[in-house]
Amino acid sequence: MEKHIPVLLKESIDYLNINENGTYVDCTLGRAGHSSEILKRLSKGKLFSIDQDETAINEGTEKLKQISDNFKILEGNFVNISAMLAMQGVFKVDGILYDLGVSSPQFDVAERGFSYRFDGPLDMRMDRTNNNLTAHEIVNNYSQDELEQILWNYGDEKFARSIVKNIIASRPINTTFELVAVIKKSLPAKILKQQKHPAKKTFQALRIRVNNEMETLESSLEQSLNLLNSKGRIVVITFHSLEEKVVKNIFKKYTLDEQQFYLSNLPYEVESSKDFKLLFKKPLKPTNTEIENNNRSHSAKLWVIEKK
């Protein structure tokens, strides 16, 4: 199994500005890399980590137990963050972290169908208990127009039309490797020679559609902003332009008032009347050293918003 290295670890923990007696939420437990570092900094504080995958929860529990008992893992989707915390009697927190990178253990399990590197059924559901829509259903039953829209909108796949045409001609497609073969057949030779895997964009698009990821992120961020105490922060690590767009739009909505928008070209800063502020206007990117040591970090960006 590929070793998972948390992306932008130091920066994300630093910008959470952890109070040892505060309450923090890691919305994306995954392999517990960020959760571990938050927990190490808590004395009487409490960490709540969210994940919907059983493997991540079991592995995370064992890892965090070795640090302290000041944590609780909540099983479910972070779209339900407010309700999940309310069930624990928690209505305000001091910091919330989202690491949106694909790092959960489920992505290395062939039968989950997420990876073009392993042969398995076309599934791609993050939560197999609540979501009946699978990648198999989309690939084999959606119309040409529907499939093209998914590949364009969620994968920015320039060759969507050619891929979809061949998908429809090759139905039924039952496994990840069968789909990879169809995608390879649909792309020009010069694209196949590039370093990036030819199926990456299509698999990303299908995963996002199956799990309704962008709508889920938007709803969760809106809830998280309402959960923050004064001086509390939300730190988000994004990995592609769709995630960036969601984060940028919501953060702008909560930090930029109309006066600021119209006066933004002035040579001096105009104070916003909104309840939140951005810690920096442009997102932070990994250092060259981190990118060299961890290729997964090359597209990562870090965003931080604070409640005044």
Side-chain angles (χ1 to χ4, degrees):
M1 189 181 286
E2 188 178 344
K3 184 179 183 335
H4 175 67
I5 306 167
V7 171
L8 287 161
L9 181 60
K10 183 183 185 307
E11 293 87 344
S12 57
I13 300 301
D14 285 350
Y15 277 107
L16 267 179
N17 198 26
I18 295 169
N19 169 357
E20 62 179 15
N21 301 319
T23 303
Y24 295 87
V25 185
D26 181 355
C27 286
T28 44
L29 171 66
R31 290 201 170 97
H34 289 94
S35 277
S36 296
E37 292 303 316
I38 295 169
L39 193 57
K40 285 175 190 174
R41 288 159 175 78
L42 298 181
S43 171
K44 294 179 182 174
K46 182 89 173 182
L47 168 68
F48 294 93
S49 296
I50 297 173
D51 210 294
Q52 55 192 352
D53 184 70
E54 195 178 336
T55 308
I57 289 167
N58 292 338
E59 288 182 8
T61 302
E62 290 308 309
K63 191 169 181 180
L64 295 177
K65 264 190 199 170
Q66 294 170 22
I67 300 167
S68 87
D69 294 326
N70 295 0
F71 74 93
K72 186 167 183 66
I73 295 178
L74 308 178
E75 184 174 357
N77 189 304
F78 62 53
V79 73
N80 301 312
I81 181 171
S82 294
M84 293 166 88
L85 289 172
M87 288 174 75
Q88 305 299 319
V90 176
F91 301 94
K92 288 291 176 185
V93 301
D94 300 294
I96 302 172
L97 173 72
Y98 293 81
D99 172 12
L100 301 174
V102 174
S103 65
S104 183
Q106 60 201 5
F107 287 88
D108 288 329
V109 179
E111 59 264 27
R112 298 301 295 270
F114 285 102
S115 180
Y116 40 74
R117 295 184 294 122
F118 308 112
D119 196 19
L122 280 170
D123 192 323
M124 298 196 193
R125 288 172 298 165
M126 301 269 195
D127 181 357
R128 291 190 285 189
T129 60
N130 289 325
N131 184 1
N132 293 321
L133 179 65
T134 63
H136 185 275
E137 169 78 16
I138 293 170
V139 165
N140 288 291
N141 295 312
Y142 277 32
S143 70
Q144 174 142 351
D145 282 351
E146 287 171 322
L147 278 171
E148 283 181 17
Q149 287 298 320
I150 288 169
L151 266 57
W152 277 324
N153 293 342
Y154 298 139
D156 196 25
E157 177 53 79
K158 293 174 186 173
F159 300 98
R161 185 156 290 161
S162 169
I163 292 169
V164 170
K165 188 179 169 188
N166 284 325
I167 282 174
I168 290 171
S170 305
R171 286 171 171 169
I173 299 169
N174 296 312
T175 70
T176 52
F177 277 6
E178 284 176 18
L179 180 57
V180 168
V182 172
I183 294 165
K184 285 182 174 176
K185 190 171 72 175
S186 311
L187 299 177
K190 64 177 182 180
I191 299 294
L192 294 174
K193 288 175 185 172
Q194 291 178 0
Q195 274 191 319
K196 284 184 180 176
H197 195 286
K200 184 175 182 180
K201 290 181 175 181
T202 298
F203 272 65
Q204 172 187 298
L206 289 170
R207 190 199 81 224
I208 288 171
R209 176 64 187 87
V210 166
N211 297 289
N212 215 21
E213 288 180 30
M214 295 307 106
E215 293 80 4
T216 294
L217 175 60
E218 188 173 340
S219 172
S220 186
L221 282 172
E222 293 265 3
Q223 294 171 59
S224 289
L225 287 160
N226 288 322
L227 287 165
L228 284 185
N229 281 321
S230 178
K231 301 300 179 188
R233 293 178 179 179
I234 296 173
V235 174
V236 186
I237 304 170
T238 60
F239 286 83
H240 56 74
S241 59
L242 288 169
E243 293 168 348
E244 289 172 27
K245 188 177 177 184
V246 171
V247 175
K248 190 189 295 183
N249 287 345
I250 288 181
F251 282 12
K252 191 185 285 185
K253 171 181 161 185
Y254 281 88
T255 58
L256 204 64
D257 57 29
E258 277 188 58
Q259 182 192 30
Q260 261 198 316
F261 183 81
Y262 290 116
L263 301 178
S264 58
N265 292 326
L266 289 176
Y268 53 86
E269 194 78 20
V270 179
E271 183 67 24
S272 169
S273 62
K274 296 285 180 106
D275 293 332
F276 297 87
K277 67 175 184 179
L278 294 177
L279 264 65
F280 34 83
K281 286 187 177 178
K282 290 190 175 177
L284 293 185
K285 296 181 182 179
T287 61
N288 290 333
T289 305
E290 178 170 4
I291 293 169
E292 283 169 21
N293 293 333
N294 183 10
N295 185 51
R296 278 179 167 175
S297 71
H298 76 277
S299 59
K301 291 179 183 175
L302 184 135
W303 314 70
V304 187
I305 193 170
E306 179 182 277
K307 185 165 187 184
K308 290 178 180 175

